[in-house]
Amino acid sequence: DSGVTQTPKHLITATGQRVTLRCSPRSGDLSVYWYQQSLDQGLQFLIHYYNGEERAKGNILERFSAQQFPDLHSELNLSSLELGDSALYFCASSVQLDKQFFGPGTRLTVL
Amino acid sequence: AQTVTQSQPEMSVQEAETVTLSCTYDTSESNYYLFWYKQPPSRQMILVIRQEAYKQQNATENRFSVNFQKAAKSFSLKISDSQLGDTAMYFCAFIRINNDMRFGAGTRLTVKP
């Protein structure tokens, strides 16, 4: 158990819908990272927040947005969902750049 | 651009033997970190080992060790005394200061009894 929690574990929705994925970092970790892992592919970095501020942006679509709240939990919002958005979405947290701890992931299925 | 290349999509090894997974990366930076992550069938991402670029000494963690060749931009993972529980996807990853983590495409390792 990494100490990072993600909810929900599984999410099934239809094209065109909007969903919110939630991540609670390990106690004391100020950084939260979001990654997308499509089927049989490596991980793609989406976005990084540090203490509520956006620090880096990767290959995140305009339909996707994220935020980190004062209690340090983070949410990833995915809208106008397409079939290709089906993936495993990971959240990771860290207090130091060189040690990211990953949550169990949220599996999103878009039908 | 920073890229991470894992040239071995699949590998297999007999239990108790040693296997080496390859990784090369491309960067113009001098200060960065390299990682190997393991992803078993449960899909959980587990940190196996990490290496700071400014350290010449190769990192080791029990049965796992790396061969870090900074000039060649190579970062291979050696697994000694392979165990059935080592069966997983292994991802090489790279991160530099104030930047995103880049992952390789992964190597699927199967440990055979």
Side-chain angles (χ1 to χ4, degrees), chain A residues 40-80:
Chain A
D40 292 330
Q41 292 188 14
L43 282 83
Q44 299 293 321
F45 166 72
L46 295 178
I47 199 163
H48 168 211
Y49 276 86
Y50 177 82
N51 202 21
E53 294 186 2
E54 182 184 304
R55 281 295 179 92
K57 227 171 186 178
N59 300 320
I60 188 167
L61 301 172
E62 286 191 8
R63 300 183 286 108
F64 295 2
S65 65
Q67 53 183 328
Q68 186 179 27
F69 295 86
D71 67 353
L72 300 178
H73 91 271
S74 178
E75 293 181 356
L76 178 67
N77 300 295
L78 315 176
S79 62
S80 302

Side-chain angles (χ1 to χ4, degrees), chain A residues 23-45:
Chain A
C23 169
S24 293
R26 295 187 321 152
S27 177
D29 286 358
L30 300 179
S31 277
V32 169
Y33 303 79
W34 285 98
Y35 297 90
Q36 178 193 57
Q37 185 178 31
S38 300
L39 186 65
D40 292 330
Q41 292 188 14
L43 282 83
Q44 299 293 321
F45 166 72

